[in-house]
Amino acid sequence: MYIPRSFAESDRDVLHEFIERHPLGALVTASSEHGLYATHLPLLLDRGRGVFGVLQGHVARANPHHALAASGESALVIFSGPEAYVTPSWYPAKQEHGKVVPTWNYIAMHATGVLRFIDDRDFLMAHLDRLTDRHEASQSHPWAMHDAPLEFLEPLARAVVEIEITSLEGKFKLSQNRSDTDVHGVISGLDSSLSADDHAVANAMRERVRPNTPPR
């Protein structure tokens, strides 16, 4: 991933937190026979294993990914955060000299590592329990695996994909290369939008680029 220095993030804890807040990843593998193949799936992060952690996710039985990639191969997982279009009209610099162009602010992260598939039934069911509990925790009436008949669940299951992370790259492109006045102009413009993503980017800019900017 192309990452100019001003947008780079390499702090492992920050990147781990980003994965946990945005767990839907795009798992990408490549082979000379099958080319590129991608699966979008929620992933659990085990921070305590390996140098950079281990990702685990469920690959459904109908998904051919487990047949197109082999254990031991390299894999890329792409995580995305909030994103927003930035119009030059929000830059005070537009009035000063006009040397501005449109851009896009966004947060993205790449995790690369070694892939393996685990099709042990008990391991698979335990993973699905953890995955469900993680994302049902905020519900007023959480759903649990035992709420569905086992004979219904087992035909849907196939394998757990596990990626031991060997490198993490984070790109937080949030106008760090602009002046204070331009940054405040972008935050103000995003705040005026009706888009939830625009508001999320504005808040990320407050936290990361201009921490002393008052909340909306």
Side-chain angles (χ1 to χ4, degrees), residues 71 120 151 216:
S71 291
D120 176 81
E151 62 270 19
R216 188 184 181 194

Side-chain angles (χ1 to χ4, degrees), residues 9 11 19 39 51 101 104 178 215:
E9 176 56 73
D11 185 287
I19 292 173
T39 293
V51 177
V101 293
W104 215 276
R178 305 299 309 183

